[in-house]
């Protein structure tokens, strides 16, 4: 992509309304524009990020055997009357009436709709186990939308629903979700800790939230430092191996980790003092097991192997896809701007031409751009007629992890500069070496 032809409306001034770094930086880097309280347009750079986050979520869900689909944003109130949540949900639900005086709502979550789909089309234990998910916009009329996309009213969420014959099967689904979530966050370069949680309006007993540690997080968190060192790394994961998944769940849930909602001082005090941590966190996902809470009132049943008709065991599992955009920045930024982890970066590499219009510089940049594209990478080439300082400031602000700088002096000795946004370190090398290095970083 050529910056001169792109739409990157960066702001010079720090927007006064933004209280946290991620909100400030998303506005300054031209990633989002507020459309209303807690409602945002995703400008091209923000949209690329959102798509990358979404792609990783899709890949990891499907790796775990979960099946993608898409449900609408508008739902019929009648379905929610069946579960009893139409009245229970309260003012957070956006209620709408159509021209035929039918009550609709903008979905805050989809338990009712997916249960209706299931009961219409599945009737036997042979249809199980089944996990369906979608990534779709949600609306919750939060009292205090704030921190940009982190607590929006309209937000983008992955929500998945498992249907199982028995409690044991549903627990296997729970474990599978936990492991797939750990993998998802790790691929994004995030450390997200599962913490025992409260189930709120979704219901159920077993539930964990995933929290990214950040000073600006909305929840206070208490944990054993041992959990922060755990990594899945490149372990091979077999999603059919129930015992293996359970072992990973235990590894991640045995050390103490809770939010202020479920914190227990006396249990916390049992952790060796040098490992006790109190911090803040951003909730980027939550998994729930709620048994037959929806299947029973809504008649989502199957006939078991013995011919008996029983309600299915269910759980639901959410990832805050749009909130992750903010959480990623909270965990990865400095004074100058964003620092994208390679797994999610909207462009793989920036190319800065220090002397636009100079034949050699222009030709070298074009060659580097084409070579990176040939490797399947997306570079962002700053081909504007701007001062070097302004180009560097833009690159630092938008946070691409690698930058190749091309200038007339270096080119005379056949060199360009490769700079890491995270460390700030630069190295001189031939254009070919820089292309190979960037390619290798992304496994291209
Ligand atoms: N049905 C269940 C699981 S699919 C559910 O709705 N869970 S939830 O309420 O915990 O939401 C899932 C995730 O969506 C949260 O962990 C959070 O990351 C994100 N989320 C929730 N509310 C908002 C909001 N107002 N703005 C941005 N993201 C949100």
């Amino acid at each position: 992509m050529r910056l001169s032809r792109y739409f990157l409306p960066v702001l010079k001034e720090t927007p006064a309304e933004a209280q946290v770094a991620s909100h400030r930086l998303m506005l300054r880097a031209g990633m989002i524009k507020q459309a209303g309280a807690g409602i945002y347009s995703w400008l091209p750079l923000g949209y690329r990020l959102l798509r990358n986050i979404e792609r990783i979520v899709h890949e990891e869900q499907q790796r775990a055997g979960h099946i993608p689909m898409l449900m609408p944003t508008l739902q019929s109130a009648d379905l929610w009357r069946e579960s009893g949540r139409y009245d229970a949900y309260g003012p957070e639900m956006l209620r709408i009436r159509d021209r035929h005086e039918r009550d609709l709502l903008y979905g805050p979550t989809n338990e009712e709709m997916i249960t209706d789909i299931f009961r219409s089309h599945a009737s036997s234990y042979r249809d199980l186990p089944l996990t369906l998910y979608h990534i779709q916009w949600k609306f919750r009329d939060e009292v205090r939308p704030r921190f940009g996309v982190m607590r929006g009213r309209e937000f983008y969420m992955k929500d998945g629903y498992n249907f199982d014959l028995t409690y044991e099967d549903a627990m296997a689904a729970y474990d599978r979700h936990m492991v797939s979530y750990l993998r998802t966050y790790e691929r994004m370069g995030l450390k997200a800790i599962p913490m025992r949680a409260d189930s709120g309006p979704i219901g159920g007993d077993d539930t964990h939230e995933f929290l990214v540690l950040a000073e600006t997080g909305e929840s206070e968190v208490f944990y054993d430092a041992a959990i922060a060192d755990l990594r899945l790394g490149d372990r091979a994961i077999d999603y059919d191996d129930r015992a293996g998944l359970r072992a990973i769940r235990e590894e991640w849930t045995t050390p103490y980790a809770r939010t202020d909602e479920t914190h227990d001082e006396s249990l916390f005090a049992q952790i060796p003092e040098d490992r006790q941590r109190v911090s803040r966190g951003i909730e980027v996902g939550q998994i729930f097991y709620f048994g037959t809470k929806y299947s029973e009132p809504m008649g989502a049943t199957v006939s078991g192997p013995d011919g008996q008709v029983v309600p299915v065991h269910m759980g639901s599992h959410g990832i805050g896809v749009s909130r992750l955009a903010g959480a990623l920045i909270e965990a990865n930024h400095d004074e100058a701007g964003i620092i994208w982890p390679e797994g999610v970066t909207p462009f793989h590499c920036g190319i800065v031409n220090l002397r636009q219009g100079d034949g050699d510089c222009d030709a070298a940049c074009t060659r580097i751009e084409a070579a990176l594209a040939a490797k399947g990478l997306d570079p962002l080439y700053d081909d504007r007629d701007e001062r070097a300082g302004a180009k560097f400031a833009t690159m630092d602000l938008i946070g691409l992890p690698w930058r190749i700088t091309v200038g007339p002096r270096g080119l005379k000795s056949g060199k360009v500069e490769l700079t890491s946004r995270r460390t700030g370190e630069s190295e001189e090398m031939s254009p070919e070496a820089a292309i190979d290095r960037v390619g290798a970083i992304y496994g291209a």
Side-chain angles (χ1 to χ4, degrees), residues 85 89 108-111 138 140 142 145-146 148-161 181 185 199 201-202 209-210 282-288 290 315-324:
R85 280 209 296 181
Y89 214 93
T109 175
N110 283 60
E111 280 80 5
K138 305 289 187 292
R140 293 183 188 170
E142 304 268 351
R146 56 186 185 151
V149 298
M150 288 215 285
R151 182 163 294 281
R153 294 200 298 160
E154 189 187 47
F155 59 98
Y156 205 40
M157 191 211 282
K158 172 261 161 182
D159 42 324
Y161 305 86
Y181 279 26
Y185 301 124
S199 64
I202 308 293
E209 289 176 347
F210 293 77
I282 302 166
E283 181 206 322
V284 291
Q286 186 162 6
I287 56 179
F288 303 83
F290 44 68
S316 73
H317 315 276
I319 294 182
V321 174
S322 50
R323 176 178 289 182
L324 272 165

Side-chain angles (χ1 to χ4, degrees), residues 352-425:
V352 169
N353 188 342
L354 291 179
R355 188 162 308 159
Q356 206 65 45
D358 173 281
D360 290 343
C361 288
D362 292 2
C365 287
T366 308
R367 240 182 35 236
I368 294 169
E369 184 190 24
L372 290 172
K375 287 181 183 285
L377 299 178
D378 285 320
L380 180 65
Y381 169 21
D382 190 346
D383 61 338
R384 297 169 308 159
D385 190 12
E386 283 272 359
R387 287 175 306 105
K391 290 190 174 188
F392 289 147
T394 300
M395 282 294 170
D396 284 350
L397 173 64
I398 68 171
L400 309 185
W402 298 94
R403 185 184 82 209
I404 298 175
T405 309
V406 178
R409 211 172 322 136
L411 272 189
K412 277 215 180 75
S413 48
K415 296 278 170 44
V416 297
E417 205 177 59
L418 179 65
T419 307
S420 155
R421 174 67 181 85
R422 197 168 285 278
T423 65
E425 277 162 30

